[in-house]
Amino acid sequence: MTVLICPVCGSPLKKGERACFCENHHTFDLSAGGYVHLLPAGQMKSKIPGDNKEMVTARSMFLNDGFYAPLADKLSTLFLSYAKDTIAWLDAGCGEGYYTQKIVSALEETCSRVTAVGVDISKFAIARASKRTKAVQFVVGSVYHLPVADNTMDMVLNVFSPLCVGEYWRVLKPGGLYFYVVPGKRHLWQMKEVLYETPYENARMECQYDGFVNEGVHSLSYTAALQNSSQLQAMFTMTPYFWKTSRKGADRLREKGHLTTEIAFDIHVLRKSD
């Protein structure tokens, strides 16, 4: 638990049977599922921040059906290619823990000691994540104010989550790696053709950040066949398009019974400068 810090005073947190606490007597209850809430009221921009229960449920259904399993496998392979015998890593914006669980399982097969932390601002997401695996300390917290000590992580993962490069640099050890997953140019292209009159390709990300050196970009693309409207709606609900699409476009997708669409990801690997 020493990699976690108190979100109030920044002191190291210790883990008891029912709560985490620091030397200044700030105490944070552990849930029945084992996760801890480290999001102070001052960091909450709404009463219930992050993805709501509907979005988390939709994403969990979609991911459990295996549509993004190739990405989970690719990330696991990349982590293993860089991992040493002992590793501490952070999934920043971990959602309901799908990738976190897959990666930690792969690492535990080859590494003698794995310390894994998953942080997300959504309490609904973290509640689900804590049911996936007990090998990860899941935390309700903000990626903009990570409750993680300086220079403690060998790797940080960000899959479609808010970008806070300064915090990732802070928690990484010198030479540590940052994995940044973003949509490829034609990610979900056929779905976008249904939603919009004139769909657009995603812009290619150029990841040049102070304090980091680019190690390369790994691209992954394939097609996925969604067989029914439930899978289509789950995919739609978990994307930003859910909030940006007109009712007319959403209705067009709702009327579809099935859809085969391109899936595309770019995985940027950056190394913290010594």
Side-chain angles (χ1 to χ4, degrees):
M1 183 60 67
T2 53
V3 298
L4 295 184
I5 57 175
C6 175
V8 178
C9 66
S11 300
L13 283 180
K14 296 182 180 179
K15 186 177 182 180
E17 288 187 11
R18 298 183 178 180
C20 297
F21 56 92
C22 73
E23 62 185 14
N24 294 315
H25 309 293
H26 299 123
T27 303
F28 308 90
D29 293 338
L30 286 166
S31 73
Y35 68 87
V36 59
H37 196 290
L38 299 180
L39 183 66
Q43 295 178 19
M44 297 172 63
K45 296 183 179 180
S46 62
K47 187 176 181 180
I48 304 177
D51 290 347
N52 60 32
K53 192 171 185 178
E54 179 186 12
M55 294 187 73
V56 170
T57 300
R59 183 168 59 235
S60 185
M61 289 174 55
F62 181 83
L63 292 173
N64 287 342
D65 281 339
F67 293 112
Y68 283 3
L71 175 58
D73 293 341
K74 181 69 172 180
L75 287 170
S76 296
T77 299
L78 279 172
F79 267 63
L80 287 171
S81 70
Y82 286 105
K84 298 178 181 178
D85 187 49
T86 63
I87 180 174
W89 72 283
L90 165 70
D91 192 344
C94 64
E96 44 67 75
Y98 175 77
Y99 304 105
T100 332
Q101 185 270 326
K102 297 289 187 182
I103 294 169
V104 80
S105 294
L107 290 172
E108 286 184 328
E109 290 185 3
T110 59
C111 301
S112 65
R113 187 177 68 190
V114 180
T115 301
V117 178
V119 176
D120 199 277
I121 201 169
S122 168
K123 66 178 183 180
F124 301 109
I126 290 296
R128 277 188 176 267
S130 67
K131 295 176 182 178
R132 283 193 180 273
T133 176
K134 300 304 178 185
V136 179
Q137 178 59 65
F138 287 107
V139 177
V140 178
S142 170
V143 297
Y144 295 104
H145 304 279
L146 286 167
V148 177
D150 296 358
N151 304 308
T152 53
M153 296 289 114
D154 296 293
M155 301 181 187
V156 171
L157 173 65
N158 174 349
V159 181
F160 294 166
S161 295
L163 180 64
C164 191
V165 177
E167 276 294 89
Y168 306 150
W169 187 91
R170 178 182 67 79
V171 302
L172 277 169
K173 298 175 183 176
L177 293 165
Y178 169 43
F179 297 85
Y180 186 26
V181 182
V182 298
K185 289 180 65 176
R186 289 176 62 87
H187 184 56
L188 303 179
W189 180 254
Q190 284 70 25
M191 184 185 77
K192 291 166 73 171
E193 286 185 314
V194 176
L195 295 176
Y196 306 117
E197 298 288 344
T198 307
Y200 58 90
E201 292 186 347
N202 297 315
R204 177 74 70 177
M205 292 278 296
E206 296 294 336
C207 298
Q208 301 290 336
Y209 305 122
D210 290 343
F212 285 95
V213 177
N214 283 292
E215 290 274 310
V217 182
H218 301 263
S219 296
L220 174 66
S221 61
Y222 56 95
T223 59
L226 289 87
Q227 303 294 336
N228 54 60
S229 58
S230 294
Q231 292 178 340
L232 274 171
Q233 287 305 305
M235 177 177 68
F236 178 47
T237 305
M238 65 178 269
T239 69
Y241 308 123
F242 181 71
W243 302 107
K244 300 176 181 179
T245 302
S246 68
R247 179 173 294 182
K248 186 180 293 185
D251 286 344
R252 285 197 298 267
L253 186 68
R254 193 173 292 109
E255 292 168 0
K256 300 283 287 185
H258 57 86
L259 181 73
T260 297
T261 187
E262 295 174 63
I263 306 289
F265 307 104
D266 287 332
I267 306 168
H268 295 261
V269 183
L270 302 101
R271 186 178 295 277
K272 179 179 177 178
S273 303
D274 294 339

